[in-house]
Amino acid sequence: MPKHTNTTRGGSTRRRDVTSDEKKDQEPRPSTDLILSHGNTEGSRTSTAILASSNGAIQRLAAFTQYFESSFTSDMDMVERVYGTEVDKEAEIQRLTEAVETLSNHKREQMENLRRENEELLNGQEACARERNRYRTMQEELEAQNAEAEADREEEYKRKLQEEKDKTQKRIKTSKAEIEAESKARFRELGDQNAELSAMNEQLKQRLSGIEKKLEAKKARHARLEKSLEEDNKKLSAELKQLKSEFPVEGQPVDAEKFQHISDAIKVVSSRYFQKLPERALTHPEAVQQDLSKLSPIFDSTPIWQTEISDFLRLKDVQHVISTCLCDFIWQPFPLQENLPNREVVGPFLEAVSNSLSASGGRSESAWRVLTLRGIDDLGGESSGVEPMMHRVLEILQPLTVPSESAGLENDLFKIINESITLWKAARKDEARFIVEKNPDPSDKENWQAEDTPGIENVSIPLDKNLDTSSITPLCIFPNILQTTSGGESIRVHQGSALFPTSPVWIQAVLEKKEHEEELAKAVSDARWKVNARRMSSSAGPNSPVKERFS
């Protein structure tokens, strides 16, 4: 479509063209009549003369042409543009006209298609109506047939029912006489039974009367007992509630790091106070070892020498002494006073009861354990274990203790014992049951960590040495701590550490001890032989050959 601006411009252009044409009509024009008349009068002249005479007219015509071009060039351009615009409008109108005709044709085709489809639908609807009428007719015929068949079946059923009724009446009449005879006989029997039952009923009534009286008495007694039981139950519930508040079974886990802290503290004490030997141990090591062996058999296989292996074994023996004393005096399931009568029997008995209740499962063992420990506390039967353990440890380690360091050793041991007591009090009141194992098992590598001194892992046993380490008991450096829950699950709280007889450090110590004993035996043998020789020399006289041999 042409723009409106073009249309407006075209109208204004036409008005300007009309105005310019009117102005041109008003302008003076050269008289063509004069030129024509002049041509007529001078027609007889030659062409040269005519050209010469019309030179002025040609010049005026040229001037007029130039003036016309200069005056109307812009208007002619405008006319051309307007004409081009009109041509474009005509072309657009033509295109739109063709588009309208195309759309009209398309619409006629669609209308024609819709008309045909409508006719087809009408034809289909009429066919459906005819089919529906046909099916309705068939349905009426089928209903009539079904009604007729139903009437026939009803008639046949009534006939058969009447026949069956007649047969049944005949059988009833036949069996009625038999039943009446049987009924009379049965009635007589029932009469006799009724008489017997009446007599029995009378007896039962009499017995029932007595039983009812007894039941009433029992019921009254039961009511009193039930009331008493309810009162007792209330009292027991109140007492149980009070017991639960007074003796709660705690379920808070014990910090396993505290056991590790105690183990580290024991190692620190052994290194601080027993790394160097006292004066007597340096001058008389055999005598010191004999004293230690009397106090504890673990020192039998530990020589008191100034060697790396001897120092290592001595420190492990010290750690063993402290750890086992903790197990014997502090970490007991039911620690009892030393002066308690039958203490050796009561402790194992209580532990056996705890094992039995633990095997039955549930919370019975933990509740019984807490109450038993509370009872022991109330009776003042619980042993703190501080003084007995302190006395035992200092007694065993006295030959290895430097006198000037005794006070520091006692102070550090006191700290370890107090920390162990605090930890064990919390562990005993826990719902789970704590088990302390101090007997290492070489095959149980999960619960026991083997210790050894670095640097001698590849020690080899000489072929001519007959070593027997079977008599050496594994050395517990620190116990294995286990926790058994009420469900029977075993949980490792702290892994134990031990020194086993098959370790390279112990084999090397046995070799050194054996070599030392052989050298000592040889020295003693040589000394005896020299003494005997001197005796023989002195008894034989100055000219004896024996004396000459040793002179």
Side-chain angles (χ1 to χ4, degrees), residues 481-549:
I481 312 296
L482 298 176
Q483 191 181 33
T484 304
T485 63
S486 58
E489 182 183 2
S490 182
I491 302 173
R492 187 181 68 197
V493 179
H494 184 274
Q495 186 182 24
S497 57
L499 187 64
F500 297 103
T502 56
S503 62
V505 64
W506 221 329
I507 294 174
Q508 189 67 27
V510 172
L511 288 175
E512 289 184 0
K513 185 178 181 181
K514 193 169 185 179
E515 291 176 358
H516 179 73
E517 290 175 351
E518 291 176 354
E519 292 176 358
L520 184 61
K522 184 178 180 182
V524 171
S525 177
D526 293 343
R528 288 178 180 175
W529 189 81
K530 288 181 180 181
V531 170
N532 292 333
R534 290 193 188 96
R535 290 177 181 175
M536 293 174 62
S537 175
S538 61
S539 63
N543 296 324
S544 175
V546 176
K547 183 177 181 182
E548 292 178 356
R549 179 181 174 184

Side-chain angles (χ1 to χ4, degrees), residues 392-524:
R392 182 59 179 165
V393 172
L394 294 177
E395 180 185 11
I396 296 175
L397 300 181
Q398 189 273 332
L400 296 176
T401 306
V402 178
S404 61
E405 296 179 348
S406 297
L409 173 62
E410 187 173 351
N411 186 32
D412 289 347
L413 285 175
F414 185 76
K415 293 179 181 178
I416 293 175
I417 294 172
N418 282 337
E419 185 177 356
S420 301
I421 291 174
T422 303
L423 177 60
W424 194 243
K425 283 183 178 180
R428 288 185 309 168
K429 294 181 180 180
D430 192 82
E431 181 180 359
R433 181 176 175 227
F434 279 78
I435 301 175
V436 180
E437 296 180 349
K438 62 177 182 178
N439 297 318
D441 184 4
S443 61
D444 190 2
K445 296 182 180 180
E446 181 180 357
N447 291 323
W448 291 97
Q449 179 183 3
E451 293 199 6
D452 209 337
T453 182
I456 61 170
E457 291 83 356
N458 299 324
V459 64
S460 59
I461 301 176
L463 297 177
D464 57 344
K465 300 292 183 181
N466 186 15
L467 296 180
D468 184 15
T469 60
S470 60
S471 61
I472 302 176
T473 304
L475 192 65
C476 175
I477 308 302
F478 194 81
N480 179 43
I481 312 296
L482 298 176
Q483 191 181 33
T484 304
T485 63
S486 58
E489 182 183 2
S490 182
I491 302 173
R492 187 181 68 197
V493 179
H494 184 274
Q495 186 182 24
S497 57
L499 187 64
F500 297 103
T502 56
S503 62
V505 64
W506 221 329
I507 294 174
Q508 189 67 27
V510 172
L511 288 175
E512 289 184 0
K513 185 178 181 181
K514 193 169 185 179
E515 291 176 358
H516 179 73
E517 290 175 351
E518 291 176 354
E519 292 176 358
L520 184 61
K522 184 178 180 182
V524 171

Side-chain angles (χ1 to χ4, degrees), residues 117-133:
E117 292 176 359
N118 191 18
E119 291 177 354
E120 293 176 357
L121 290 173
L122 291 175
N123 295 332
Q125 186 176 5
E126 294 175 356
C128 289
R130 290 192 298 272
E131 191 70 17
R132 185 168 58 252
N133 294 331

Side-chain angles (χ1 to χ4, degrees), residues 165-229:
K165 184 177 179 181
D166 296 339
K167 292 179 181 179
T168 303
Q169 288 178 352
K170 290 180 181 179
R171 286 197 300 270
I172 290 173
K173 289 179 181 180
T174 304
S175 61
K176 183 178 180 180
E178 298 176 357
I179 293 173
E180 287 178 352
E182 291 179 359
S183 299
K184 290 180 181 179
R186 182 64 178 167
F187 183 75
R188 287 192 297 270
E189 292 177 0
L190 290 174
D192 298 337
Q193 293 178 1
N194 188 22
E196 294 177 359
L197 291 174
S198 297
M200 292 175 63
N201 191 20
E202 289 297 329
Q203 296 176 0
L204 290 175
K205 284 181 179 180
Q206 295 176 0
R207 292 176 60 187
L208 181 61
S209 177
I211 292 172
E212 285 178 351
K213 292 179 180 178
K214 292 181 180 179
L215 286 176
E216 289 294 332
K218 288 184 178 180
K219 186 176 180 182
R221 194 163 55 249
H222 178 73
R224 291 193 299 269
L225 181 61
E226 185 177 1
K227 185 177 181 180
S228 176
L229 288 176

